[in-house]
Amino acid sequence: MASFDVSKEVKLKELRDVEGDDEKECTLDGTVDGRGRPALRGSTGTWVAGYIILVNQGLATLAFFGVGVNLVLFLTRVLQQNNADAANNVSKWTGTVYIFSLVGAFLSDSYWGRYKTCAIFQGIFVMGLVSLSLTSYMFLVKPNGCGDEEHPCKKHTSLEIGLFYVSTYMVALGNGGYQPNIATFGADQFDEEHPKEGHSKVAFFSYFYLALNLGSLFSNTVLGYFEDHGLWTLGFWVSTGSAFIALVLFLIGTPRYRHFKPSGNPISRVSQVVVAATKKWTLKVPAGSDVLYEVEGKECAIQGGRKMLHTRGFKFLDRAAYVTSDDFGQENKNHPSPWRLCTVTQVEEVKCILRLLPIWLCTILYSVVFTQMASLFVEQGAAMNTTVGHFRVPPAGMSAFDILSVAFFVFLSRRVLDPIVSRIRNVKTKGLTELQRMGIGLIIAIMAMVSAGIVECYRLRFIQEDGTSSLSIFWQVPQYALIGASEVFMYVGQLEFFNDQAPDGLKSFGSALCMTSISLGNYVSSLLVSIVMKISTKDNMPGWIPGNLNRGHLDRFFFMLAALTAIDFVVYLAVARWYKSIKFEGKCRVDEDSDESSDHSSNINELESFRV
């Protein structure tokens, strides 16, 4: 008995050493290090890499918003555009930023991997900012000191304006291709198969969005102040320096990163399912998944991904995985043509995309509301009393209240609301679901638009003889704060939802869906402004959003957005109720794991059994 106790203690000690020795412990999610070897838990990833990525995101966001937050004023004061045209051009530019996120996500998921994609597009981002800074210094901000509220700049040639747009759209390409991948790459640094790291992975998205907003705080306050006073070139050079430091910091962290290998072209996998299902259109597929095709063992249609379980719905796609005698002919006896017979995992990947799309479509109108903060909110603020004593508040700087609201509600959501909801629902993992968060975000967005409309009504009541309003710009604080609160619930919920529900081979695409909803939101905003102006300017009327807002009805536009968002919320409730979550099987690997990793996994399992 004594010898048994001694051997038991020795066994426990050995297994504790294996569990606690992070330097030798491999991750369980299939990530690799920079050399393609299984990633070691102690020397790669976790919050060390996570903090590098968060700081990188903060600096890159500072650089991006150093251009974007005051772009509408640059177009009106430096390039002499009217308010409606400037708002439309900002919406189109911002929309293009997020359209490019699809390009970055495709290259990342299919060929380059997230690290290489982030590095390349950050380089393009820096080059675009350098070009914009030089173009502004040499051609646009002329004469020196122009571009403030009182001194408009000279007219520019087509070549000079062309250089400006080339530079700004290089910034759009660089930032757009980088953004969806850096969020997913940061989440890759945490092993979701490990309890502690899995919890950190969920928390990372909240801190990522917080870093994004804190990074823009400097742009919206200090840079916004200098640019509002005509120091555009200085602001652009500061943005350039911040983006360069962000790129250098990202490259310094290279040895610490964990990587998922690219999973191949998803377009071909989706096309195979559609073609195979079409070829078997006349077949009647029996109920149940036992008649559907799936490869055995560790092989998987999605390289390095997990097999997905069959789900009901979209039954016409199940034909692609239904086995017929023609699928295994003489020439393809062991490996049937993927254009005739697909695996259940491939079919479920397509189903997953189709289920995500309605949720994604319902987020577009929210982005229409969100984009007003960078355009019409700024124009509204510029028409209000912006002086406090001898200090003039830059209209774009009011977005600092949005950032402070984001920081407050991230804390409130994670530290207060989620624990309370968990106790009420008696669930240990998390409080509100991602779909519930997004619904709350829509409700708060409606409140933000109503608040903005009420402020505009009062602004118009306090017009003075000189054409300015005596209503203080700080009356805009509630609408900015409400937008910030809605972002925490909507955009953080989106990041978590699309990253969690996207198939393994489309994780960057999942993050890109968040970006493209913002993109289409900007395009829809531009379209709505154009339609409203066309309708409201009939019979020689000035329209709702004229060059002089005192002659318009911006309040009606805000109330219209509130009504449209309310309708969108009702549709969202129906779509969210219909949605079915993705169901994974175990991790499937294309390459065999190392003996060290397998031995470690068996040791961990043995330890758990021994403790029980």
Side-chain angles (χ1 to χ4, degrees):
M1 185 63 117
S3 62
F4 174 79
D5 290 338
V6 171
S7 63
K8 180 179 178 181
E9 289 183 9
V10 171
K11 183 67 174 177
L12 273 173
K13 184 177 184 302
E14 289 176 351
L15 293 176
R16 286 196 194 101
D17 289 342
V18 172
E19 187 187 41
D21 190 2
D22 286 344
E23 293 299 325
K24 296 181 180 179
E25 182 181 349
C26 294
T27 56
L28 305 176
D29 60 356
T31 50
V32 297
D33 61 18
R35 298 182 180 181
R37 303 172 301 188
L40 298 177
R41 194 179 306 282
S43 57
T44 62
T46 66
W47 281 112
V48 177
Y51 287 137
I52 293 174
I53 292 172
L54 289 177
V55 175
N56 167 269
Q57 170 66 11
L59 291 170
T61 304
L62 186 157
F64 177 72
F65 280 96
V67 175
V69 74
N70 263 332
L71 186 58
V72 66
L73 295 183
F74 187 90
L75 294 176
T76 55
R77 296 178 182 178
V78 178
L79 298 188
Q80 306 299 307
Q81 296 181 6
N82 61 48
N83 284 334
D85 288 341
N88 276 344
N89 284 328
V90 170
S91 294
K92 292 174 184 176
W93 177 80
T94 308
T96 304
V97 171
Y98 298 117
I99 285 292
F100 283 138
S101 68
L102 288 175
V103 177
F106 174 78
L107 292 172
S108 170
D109 285 334
S110 304
Y111 304 111
W112 288 355
R114 286 184 265 279
Y115 170 79
K116 184 177 180 180
T117 306
C118 287
I120 290 175
F121 279 101
Q122 281 190 82
I124 296 173
F125 183 46
V126 172
M127 289 189 291
L129 287 169
V130 170
S131 176
L132 177 61
S133 302
L134 289 174
T135 301
S136 299
Y137 174 73
M138 297 173 64
F139 306 116
L140 300 180
V141 188
K142 297 292 180 181
N144 292 331
C146 73
D148 58 6
E149 191 174 23
E150 299 177 356
H151 304 91
C153 297
K154 67 178 182 66
K155 291 186 178 180
H156 303 96
T157 65
S158 299
L159 176 61
E160 292 169 346
I161 295 175
L163 288 173
F164 166 77
Y165 279 114
V166 168
S167 301
T168 53
Y169 278 88
M170 278 186 68
V171 172
L173 173 61
N175 187 266
Y178 151 83
Q179 275 295 332
N181 293 294
I182 196 65
T184 311
F185 187 59
D188 291 345
Q189 308 310 309
F190 302 95
D191 182 1
E192 65 181 7
E193 305 292 336
H194 187 272
K196 185 177 180 180
E197 290 192 25
H199 178 75
S200 297
K201 183 173 185 175
V202 174
F204 174 81
F205 289 107
S206 292
Y207 296 125
F208 178 84
Y209 198 76
L210 179 61
L212 185 153
N213 280 270
L214 292 178
S216 64
L217 180 61
F218 183 84
S219 301
N220 293 338
T221 53
V222 179
L223 286 187
Y225 176 80
F226 285 119
E227 290 173 354
D228 186 54
H229 285 73
L231 300 175
W232 295 99
T233 304
L234 174 63
F236 292 156
W237 278 118
V238 171
S239 293
T240 303
S242 180
F244 179 75
I245 295 171
L247 175 59
V248 171
L249 180 65
F250 179 80
L251 296 177
I252 289 174
T254 299
R256 185 78 196 187
Y257 298 139
R258 296 174 185 173
H259 309 264
F260 280 104
K261 294 179 180 179
S263 58
N265 190 342
I267 296 178
S268 62
R269 295 198 301 269
V270 173
S271 301
Q272 288 166 359
V273 172
V274 174
V275 171
T278 303
K279 288 181 177 179
K280 301 176 182 179
W281 187 258
T282 58
L283 295 178
K284 186 176 181 180
V285 180
S289 60
D290 53 338
V291 297
L292 302 179
Y293 174 70
E294 181 62 271
V295 292
E296 307 224 350
K298 294 183 178 181
E299 292 185 4
C300 188
I302 303 175
Q303 181 179 355
R306 289 168 289 181
K307 291 179 182 177
M308 287 181 274
L309 301 177
H310 176 259
T311 59
R312 297 180 180 179
F314 300 106
K315 291 182 179 180
F316 63 92
L317 292 175
D318 288 339
R319 293 181 174 87
Y322 182 60
V323 182
T324 65
S325 58
D326 295 334
D327 296 329
F328 291 89
Q330 286 296 117
E331 298 180 358
N332 54 359
K333 187 174 182 180
N334 296 323
H335 299 284
S337 170
W339 295 96
R340 182 164 185 86
L341 181 63
C342 302
T343 65
V344 170
T345 295
Q346 273 184 273
V347 173
E348 289 302 318
E349 184 180 39
V350 179
K351 287 184 181 181
C352 179
I353 296 171
L354 293 177
R355 289 191 178 109
L356 289 175
L357 287 179
I359 300 290
W360 170 72
L361 287 171
C362 288
T363 65
I364 293 174
L365 199 57
Y366 171 82
S367 295
V368 175
V369 171
F370 175 75
T371 194
Q372 306 312 313
M373 192 169 56
S375 54
L376 293 181
F377 278 18
V378 177
E379 293 181 6
Q380 181 190 44
M384 300 174 74
N385 181 13
T386 60
T387 57
V388 179
H390 297 289
F391 179 76
R392 183 179 181 277
V393 179
M398 291 298 293
S399 57
F401 291 99
D402 163 76
I403 298 166
L404 294 174
S405 177
V406 167
F408 174 75
F409 278 96
V410 163
F411 171 81
L412 184 69
S413 175
R414 289 299 180 192
R415 300 297 181 182
V416 179
L417 185 60
D418 280 352
I420 292 175
V421 174
S422 297
R423 289 194 192 98
I424 294 175
R425 297 172 57 189
N426 197 22
V427 178
K428 293 183 179 180
T429 52
K430 59 183 179 181
L432 294 170
T433 66
E434 290 85 359
L435 289 174
Q436 289 170 339
R437 292 172 188 271
M438 292 158 67
I440 293 173
L442 284 172
I443 294 174
I444 301 176
I446 296 170
M447 297 166 60
M449 286 297 97
V450 171
S451 175
I454 293 173
V455 168
E456 181 63 13
C457 289
Y458 278 95
R459 189 194 70 80
L460 292 172
R461 289 186 184 182
F462 290 92
I463 301 297
Q464 302 177 110
E465 293 183 0
D466 60 357
T468 61
S469 176
S470 61
L471 191 68
S472 172
I473 193 173
F474 287 103
W475 282 95
Q476 283 190 312
V477 170
Q479 65 200 60
Y480 276 103
L482 287 169
I483 289 290
S486 69
E487 288 177 64
V488 172
F489 289 99
M490 173 57 77
Y491 283 143
V492 175
Q494 267 188 279
L495 280 172
E496 293 181 14
F497 177 76
F498 288 120
N499 186 270
D500 181 61
Q501 293 297 307
D504 286 337
L506 293 171
K507 291 296 185 184
S508 294
F509 172 77
S511 296
L513 284 177
C514 305
M515 315 295 287
T516 49
S517 73
I518 302 175
S519 167
L520 291 180
N522 279 271
Y523 286 124
V524 172
S525 174
S526 177
L527 178 64
L528 284 175
V529 170
S530 298
I531 293 174
V532 164
M533 287 301 294
K534 186 172 183 179
I535 294 175
S536 62
T537 52
K538 289 182 178 179
D539 300 325
N540 297 320
M541 297 295 289
W544 287 5
I545 316 173
N548 183 356
L549 292 181
N550 295 337
R551 300 176 58 203
H553 283 285
L554 186 58
D555 53 328
R556 296 178 183 176
F557 184 77
F558 288 144
F559 289 139
M560 182 189 73
L561 288 183
L564 291 175
T565 308
I567 296 171
D568 182 57
F569 174 70
V570 174
V571 176
Y572 173 81
L573 288 179
V575 171
R577 186 180 181 86
W578 166 82
Y579 181 78
K580 294 180 181 178
S581 297
I582 189 171
K583 297 180 180 180
F584 288 109
E585 204 179 281
K587 189 79 173 177
C588 32
R589 313 242 178 112
V590 174
D591 300 324
E592 290 291 328
D593 294 338
S594 65
D595 292 337
E596 180 182 0
S597 177
S598 299
D599 289 343
H600 173 72
S601 299
S602 62
N603 283 339
I604 293 297
N605 293 333
E606 186 177 358
L607 176 61
E608 295 300 325
S609 302
F610 194 77
R611 285 175 174 169
V612 172

